[in-house]
Amino acid sequence: MRLHRLDLTAFGPFGDTQSVDFDALSAAGLFLLHGPTGAGKTSVLDAVCYALYGTVPGARQSGQGLTLRSDHADPAVRTEVRLELSVAGRRLEITRQPPWERLKKRGSGTTLDKAQTWLREYDAKGAAWKDLSRSHQEIGEEITQLLGMSREQFCQVVLLPQGDFARFLRADAGARGQLLGRLFDTQRFADVEKRLAERRKSTEARVRDGDAALLADAHRMQQAAGDAMELPDLAPGDPGLADAVLTAAAVARSTARERRALANCRLDLAESAQFAADRALADARELARLQGRFAQARQRAARLAEEAGAHREAQARMERARKAEAVAPALELREAAEAGHRAAAAAEARARALLPDTFAGAGAAGLAGAARRAAEELGGLESARRAERRLAELVDERGRLDRQEREDEEVLREADGWLADWDATRAALQSRIDAAQEAATRAEQLAVRREPAQQRLAAARLRDELGRDTDEAQRTALASGALALEAKAHWLRLKEQRLTGIAAELAARLTAGEPCAVCGSTEHPAPAQKFAGHVDAEAEERAEADHQRAEARHAQDERRLATAREALAAATAAAGDTPTDRLAAQADELEQEYLLARGAASDLHPAQEELRLAERERERRLTDRRQAEVRAASRVARRDGLDAECAVLEADLTKARGSADSVAARTAQLERQVTLLTEAADTARAAEDTARHLKDADARLADAAYRAGFETPQAAAAALLDDTAHRELQRRLDERQSQEAAVRAVLAETDTAAAAQQPPADLDAAERTAAAADRSVREAASARDRSDHCCTELDRLSARATAEARRLAPLREEYDRVARLAALTAGTSADNERRMRLESYVLAARLEQVAAAATVRLQRMSSGRYTLVHSDDRTGRGRSGLGLHVVDAWTGRERDTATLSGGETFFASLALALGLADVVTDEAGGVRLDTLFIDEGFGSLDDQTLDEVLDVLDSLRERDRSVGIVSHVADLRRRVHAQLEVVKDRSGSVLRQRGV
């Protein structure tokens, strides 16, 4: 894969369109990507990753969508990344646009445009670009298939994590395993270990649950069997629990069956005795019933004889009532006639009481004639009533005219008073509007100056803070430099002392008869002796390690100081030399002026609104005054016409009213008189008719009573019975007849009479005997039911326990198998000789591959001196670790990579990074990577080591490969001519290519 060109628009810190010509940079083989901190070096690499995969690397993945957009971009410019590259023999162009919240073309507000992606391929034959797809998913799958790598793998092998491998070389086995697991994504093997451990726990829990259920069934069987079963003294999970429970259950079932047979025999005997007792009790109850029946019949016969006289009276009463029923229609007719006559007479009396005394002796005909005369007089008053209603309407209209006149006068007074102040009101409102407009203009001018003042104040505060940090960093760097010089001097002194006494150290290794390593003699007459204060190799190595640590701390402090100075220079450029307190005072003064002007400008809209409302009120007042004047002129003529018509109508009504207050009152008097006379005439005629009907009813009643055998109608009425009394009397007669028949039937029964001749039945003794027999049967049946229930429960629980034991057998086998496998993958099993976890085993294999690939690079870098080897020696708690050693060909010693010096660590970490790239590339399908980027790590190198590293990196250009160094180390700008510089400014960062 080779990068050709990258175009950025409104991306990250780049507000405008920026372009990177990778072909020109790659021509030199080695190029430098540099710029100050925060300028956007990482954003260039993010853009490459975003163009290929649609996301940015690592922790920056949260920066998707709208947050990828530059804050410096013009609102009308859309964010876009275009990358041109060659891969698998094809030249492609990928264009991606993240989601964009733009201004609406119509109306106000914003709208969200969806993300867009284009993929094009260059057709060499047609010398033109050809569109391939615009689908996010299709393009993502195409790029992943061509590169053969996921986004994480691409970031590992193309954007080499140099710092990760430097930490990797110095890390312990645990930290090294975490880093390798993140690089190679071996989480799935850790998940396998976790899954096996969880499955072991779950299987063990299921086995224990099964044993607990089996033991619970055993407890239930013991409760059912009572003392016939003993539980095994075993806990869930103990071996032999199932067999012990099944054996105890079998013994309990046998004992329960024997007890059930004995209970059945006892129940049979008790049921036989109960049958004999129940039969004796039934005979005694029948005898007692017959004897009681005979005694009750004799008592009822005696009571009937005593009530014979009352029975005969009731029969006579019923006979008289039947005769009186023939007179009942005549009685009812007479009562109805009498009630009608009383009602008519009462109505006539009420109607006459309402008439004057002059009509007291008048009959029905006289009352009817007086009513006709009053009705004729009432008809003559109709025209007078219409005139009276018209007069009332005229009076109401005259009153309305008076009220309107008063209201119009009030309107004219209010309008004249309000309009008198109009000129002053309008002038005051216009003055407020002018003042608010001037304040608004002032506020706009201050707003333009306000934001730069705030930004400059913030930059000044940052400048002060960075100045303090720079001073502190300088003091720290000076102190650490002094400590480094002191540590180096101490190390050189110890080294010199050791060289001075090296003869004694060699003499200590001499053995009698063995040749000397210096002179070759086998005789050692006078070996050198160690003097006081002799320095051995271990003390020298400790001093050298202290020196290296002090140098590393000093280099770190120098880098921190350089970073602080660079940030301070940027802040000083933005803030200038003006003191912070003066800038703060200027910003506060400007803010106060802005707030005052803005507050005064806020009165503009209310004042304009009040003026519009006042002008609208003035027009309304003028209109009301004109309308009131017109209405006043029309009311004068209307009032004169109303007065003339009222005078004519009043004269006519005076004649029609007579002595009454009004025509309506006179009409009401006549209407009431007509109504009363008519009602009185009607009631008088009704009273005369009902009197004739009553006389006819009396004659018919006397004739009907005589024919029925009664002396007077009153006697016939007294003999009548109502429906309730008649039914009650008939019921008593029927009941008496039924009782006599029942008594005769009982006394005539043969078995009842025979039972009366026997001695009284002893029912209590028979019931006691039957109750005792019933208790015996219930007790025997309860015992038999308990034994049946015990046998049934034992059979059920025993069958369930047997099924549970059979079910647990394969589960227990599965648990044993899973437990062995989980212990093996966790490194705790005796079968795992090196006690190595599964993930560690996989990581060790990966580390071997990386070490082998890195050794090829490292040997070239070190001229064959260093070789990386993997070690699986046991460390910590007796388990195999992820050891990594370096073999020094000059000394033949193998040592841990944590003991490497700074330059050696850089060589080794670079070799590991390139080796990892080779391993991951091979796994991804062998895609050739012609463009690589190496991240920071150069700031800790001295000049000589930096030259060696650049020579090694320059050698990577073989086979047309280009390497980009990402660093802000100033010395690299002199050593690497091809450069891509990122320059930051207030308006956004820009890219500049140099030396190409």
Side-chain angles (χ1 to χ4, degrees):
M1 181 201 73
R2 175 178 293 277
L3 304 180
H4 297 293
R5 183 178 181 85
L6 176 66
D7 294 325
L8 309 175
T9 301
F11 183 87
F14 306 105
D16 299 328
T17 300
Q18 304 294 322
S19 299
V20 180
D21 188 354
F22 283 109
D23 287 336
L25 292 172
S26 301
L30 186 66
F31 63 91
L32 176 66
L33 173 59
H34 70 94
T37 302
K41 299 187 297 296
T42 305
S43 296
V44 176
L45 306 182
D46 289 347
V48 174
C49 185
Y50 177 73
L52 293 173
Y53 295 96
T55 58
V56 295
R60 298 187 296 278
Q61 291 185 44
S62 60
Q64 298 299 303
L66 298 177
T67 57
L68 291 177
R69 180 171 176 81
S70 175
D71 295 333
H72 304 284
D74 188 281
V77 177
R78 180 163 188 173
T79 302
E80 181 180 277
V81 176
R82 180 182 293 110
L83 177 66
E84 185 179 338
L85 73 158
S86 294
V87 59
R90 301 168 62 184
R91 185 153 183 158
L92 304 175
E93 181 189 78
I94 309 171
T95 304
R96 291 189 185 270
Q97 294 178 347
W100 181 37
E101 188 172 349
R102 62 170 177 82
L103 297 175
K104 292 182 178 179
K105 296 180 180 179
R106 296 181 179 178
S108 59
T110 60
T111 183
L112 183 65
D113 284 351
K114 296 182 179 179
Q116 301 290 331
T117 306
W118 294 270
L119 177 62
R120 300 196 303 170
E121 182 176 5
Y122 185 74
D123 185 2
K125 295 181 180 179
W129 290 95
K130 178 177 62 177
D131 292 335
L132 295 182
S133 176
R134 296 191 59 160
S135 170
H136 300 291
Q137 184 176 1
E138 291 180 359
I139 295 174
E141 294 176 354
E142 180 75 12
I143 296 301
T144 303
Q145 183 176 3
L146 288 174
L147 295 178
M149 292 180 287
S150 65
R151 179 183 58 81
E152 291 77 10
Q153 291 174 321
F154 176 83
C155 295
Q156 292 167 10
V157 301
V158 177
L159 312 178
L160 295 180
Q162 182 75 11
D164 287 349
F165 285 98
R167 290 191 297 272
F168 178 80
L169 290 172
R170 298 186 178 92
D172 56 12
R176 190 171 291 163
Q178 292 179 0
L179 179 59
L180 283 175
R182 178 164 56 85
L183 293 176
F184 285 104
D185 191 18
T186 57
Q187 182 62 34
R188 60 187 183 278
F189 299 102
D191 293 340
V192 170
E193 297 177 23
K194 182 179 179 182
R195 175 58 181 161
L196 286 174
E198 292 175 351
R199 187 173 177 185
R200 180 190 61 189
K201 291 180 181 179
S202 63
T203 309
E204 182 182 7
R206 290 167 59 193
V207 171
R208 289 185 177 275
D209 292 343
D211 286 347
L214 190 62
L215 195 58
D217 287 340
H219 281 286
R220 296 188 184 96
M221 285 189 284
Q222 185 188 39
Q223 293 176 357
D227 57 356
M229 180 178 178
E230 294 183 0
L231 289 178
D233 189 12
L234 295 173
D238 293 345
L241 176 64
D243 295 337
V245 170
L246 295 179
T247 301
V251 174
R253 290 172 61 195
S254 176
T255 303
R257 289 192 183 94
E258 294 176 357
R259 291 181 177 179
R260 183 173 62 182
L262 181 60
N264 286 331
C265 293
R266 292 176 179 174
L267 180 60
D268 292 341
L269 294 175
E271 287 178 346
S272 299
Q274 183 190 31
F275 179 76
D278 288 344
R279 186 170 183 179
L281 178 59
D283 293 342
R285 286 176 175 170
E286 181 62 19
L287 178 60
R289 186 185 69 79
L290 293 175
Q291 289 177 347
R293 180 180 175 81
F294 184 82
Q296 290 177 358
R298 294 292 298 272
Q299 293 175 359
R300 290 169 62 190
R303 286 199 301 272
L304 290 174
E306 293 174 356
E307 297 173 355
H311 177 61
R312 286 192 294 272
E313 292 179 358
Q315 288 178 333
R317 174 67 174 157
M318 179 60 73
E319 182 64 24
R320 293 184 62 197
R322 290 195 184 97
K323 292 180 179 180
E325 288 178 356
V327 189
L331 285 172
E332 294 175 357
L333 182 61
R334 200 270 176 187
E335 290 176 356
E338 184 178 6
H341 178 63
R342 285 199 300 271
E348 180 184 7
R350 288 193 298 273
R352 287 183 179 274
L354 299 175
L355 295 175
D357 295 338
T358 55
F359 298 101
L367 294 173
R372 284 193 300 272
R373 290 190 297 272
E376 291 175 355
E377 184 180 357
L378 180 62
L381 292 177
E382 182 61 29
S383 59
R385 285 199 299 271
R386 288 195 298 270
E388 190 174 42
R389 286 193 296 270
R390 174 58 180 166
L391 180 61
E393 293 173 357
L394 295 177
V395 172
D396 292 339
E397 185 176 358
R398 184 70 166 75
R400 283 196 301 271
L401 293 177
D402 294 340
R403 287 193 299 273
Q404 289 177 1
E405 184 177 8
R406 289 191 297 271
E407 291 173 357
D408 288 342
E409 290 175 354
E410 182 66 23
V411 169
L412 290 174
R413 282 195 302 273
E414 291 181 358
D416 292 340
W418 192 91
L419 292 173
D421 300 332
W422 163 244
D423 293 335
T425 302
R426 187 179 185 282
L429 291 175
Q430 188 62 46
S431 177
R432 283 177 57 191
I433 291 173
D434 296 340
Q437 287 178 341
E438 293 177 359
T441 303
R442 176 63 175 165
E444 292 177 357
Q445 296 172 351
L446 293 173
V448 175
R449 298 165 51 195
R450 178 168 164 264
E451 184 176 357
Q454 293 292 340
Q455 292 177 351
R456 190 177 180 190
L457 176 60
R461 289 172 177 170
L462 179 61
R463 177 197 62 194
D464 296 344
E465 183 178 355
L466 291 175
R468 292 190 294 271
D469 294 345
T470 302
D471 295 340
E472 179 64 26
Q474 186 173 7
R475 289 193 295 272
T476 303
L478 291 175
S480 62
L483 292 176
L485 291 175
E486 183 179 350
K488 184 175 182 180
H490 177 66
W491 169 53
L492 294 176
R493 286 196 302 271
L494 292 182
K495 187 173 184 179
E496 183 178 0
Q497 292 177 12
R498 184 188 175 207
L499 292 175
T500 302
I502 194 66
E505 187 175 337
L506 294 175
R509 301 178 184 175
L510 295 176
T511 304
E514 296 293 333
C516 176
V518 178
C519 62
S521 175
T522 58
E523 295 181 1
H524 316 296
Q529 301 295 323
K530 294 182 178 180
F531 57 87
H534 174 74
V535 177
D536 55 7
E538 183 178 358
E540 181 187 354
E541 290 177 356
R542 285 198 303 271
E544 182 181 7
D546 293 340
H547 162 60
Q548 292 175 351
R549 285 194 293 271
E551 286 289 346
R553 285 195 297 271
H554 177 57
Q556 183 178 5
D557 292 340
E558 285 291 341
R559 289 194 300 272
R560 187 179 298 110
L561 176 59
T563 302
R565 286 174 174 172
E566 185 178 351
L568 177 60
T572 303
D577 298 330
T578 306
T580 304
D581 52 355
R582 184 183 303 173
L583 292 177
Q586 293 174 357
D588 291 341
E589 182 180 358
L590 186 61
E591 183 70 18
Q592 294 297 328
E593 292 179 3
Y594 172 73
L595 293 176
L596 291 175
R598 187 175 178 181
S602 63
D603 190 44
L604 176 60
H605 178 71
Q608 291 176 340
E609 186 64 23
E610 288 185 24
L611 179 59
R612 285 195 295 271
L613 293 176
E615 290 176 346
R616 192 180 306 165
E617 180 67 16
R618 176 175 175 272
E619 293 296 330
R620 186 183 67 81
R621 299 276 185 171
L622 291 173
T623 302
D624 292 345
R625 185 171 65 178
R626 287 194 297 271
Q627 292 176 352
E629 292 173 349
V630 171
R631 287 195 298 270
S634 63
R635 277 194 301 271
V636 174
R638 180 59 181 166
R639 186 182 294 110
D640 294 341
L642 292 177
D643 292 342
E645 187 175 359
C646 287
V648 174
L649 291 176
E650 185 66 31
D652 295 338
L653 290 176
T654 301
K655 298 177 181 179
R657 283 195 297 265
S659 60
D661 295 335
S662 63
V663 175
R666 179 57 181 166
T667 301
Q669 291 176 358
L670 292 176
E671 289 176 349
R672 177 175 176 77
Q673 185 177 357
V674 170
T675 301
L676 293 177
L677 290 173
T678 303
E679 184 178 356
D682 294 340
T683 55
R685 285 194 293 270
E688 294 173 355
D689 294 340
T690 55
R692 290 194 299 271
H693 293 161
L694 178 60
K695 184 176 181 181
D696 295 339
D698 287 339
R700 291 178 186 152
L701 177 59
D703 183 63
Y706 176 77
R707 292 181 180 179
F710 294 97
E711 295 180 358
T712 62
Q714 290 75 14
L720 278 175
L721 295 174
D722 57 16
D723 292 342
T724 302
H726 187 277
R727 284 195 299 271
E728 177 63 22
L729 182 59
Q730 185 64 46
R731 184 192 63 76
R732 287 166 52 194
L733 293 174
D734 294 342
E735 184 179 359
R736 167 72 183 212
Q737 186 176 2
S738 299
Q739 290 177 355
E740 290 177 350
V743 168
R744 288 193 299 271
V746 170
L747 294 177
E749 294 176 352
T750 304
D751 53 350
T752 303
Q757 303 300 322
Q758 296 181 12
D762 192 357
L763 189 59
D764 293 339
E767 288 179 348
R768 287 194 297 271
T769 303
D774 184 63
R775 283 195 301 272
S776 299
V777 170
R778 287 198 302 273
E779 292 173 356
S782 177
R784 196 272 310 275
D785 291 342
R786 286 195 299 272
S787 62
D788 286 344
H789 177 72
C790 179
C791 291
T792 302
E793 190 68 11
L794 288 176
D795 291 341
R796 182 181 66 82
L797 294 175
S798 178
R800 190 165 72 178
T802 302
E804 183 67 17
R806 292 175 181 171
R807 186 186 66 82
L808 285 177
L811 184 61
R812 193 179 299 278
E813 294 177 359
E814 179 186 356
Y815 166 68
D816 295 338
R817 182 169 61 256
V818 172
R820 288 195 302 272
L821 186 58
L824 183 64
T825 57
T828 59
S829 173
D831 297 333
N832 191 333
E833 296 179 358
R834 294 189 178 275
R835 301 180 64 80
M836 186 181 293
R837 293 174 52 243
L838 176 61
E839 184 182 15
S840 299
Y841 176 78
V842 175
L843 292 177
R846 295 292 192 188
L847 185 57
E848 284 183 328
Q849 295 176 340
V850 174
T855 296
V856 177
R857 306 280 187 184
L858 185 58
Q859 286 181 342
R860 291 190 58 187
M861 295 180 189
S862 61
S863 299
R865 179 180 179 182
Y866 293 117
T867 301
L868 287 174
V869 294
H870 164 253
S871 173
D872 57 1
D873 294 337
R874 294 185 179 182
T875 60
R877 295 184 296 176
R879 297 192 180 187
S880 296
L882 297 172
L884 188 64
H885 293 173
V886 61
V887 179
D888 190 345
W890 290 5
T891 63
R893 294 177 56 190
E894 179 178 329
R895 53 195 174 101
D896 193 271
T897 55
T899 63
L900 293 174
S901 64
E904 294 169 340
T905 298
F906 185 85
F907 282 142
S909 63
L910 181 58
L912 278 175
L914 295 173
L916 172 68
D918 293 340
V919 172
V920 177
T921 300
D922 293 339
E923 290 184 354
V927 177
R928 175 177 171 81
L929 301 176
D930 296 319
T931 305
L932 297 176
F933 294 91
I934 300 177
D935 205 346
E936 288 286 358
F938 300 87
S940 60
L941 303 180
D942 55 27
D943 293 342
Q944 181 180 355
T945 306
L946 184 60
D947 289 335
E948 295 174 356
V949 170
L950 292 179
D951 292 340
V952 172
L953 293 179
D954 190 59
S955 67
L956 295 177
R957 294 184 298 170
E958 61 183 7
R959 294 183 297 173
D960 198 26
R961 172 178 287 184
S962 63
V963 179
I965 299 175
V966 183
S967 177
H968 55 67
V969 175
D971 198 29
L972 286 174
R973 303 175 192 173
R974 295 184 294 100
R975 300 170 185 262
V976 181
H977 299 291
Q979 299 178 9
L980 177 62
E981 182 182 5
V982 185
V983 182
K984 66 179 181 179
D985 190 75
R986 290 185 178 183
S987 60
S989 299
V990 295
L991 296 174
R992 298 175 182 173
Q993 292 187 204
R994 298 178 178 178
V996 296

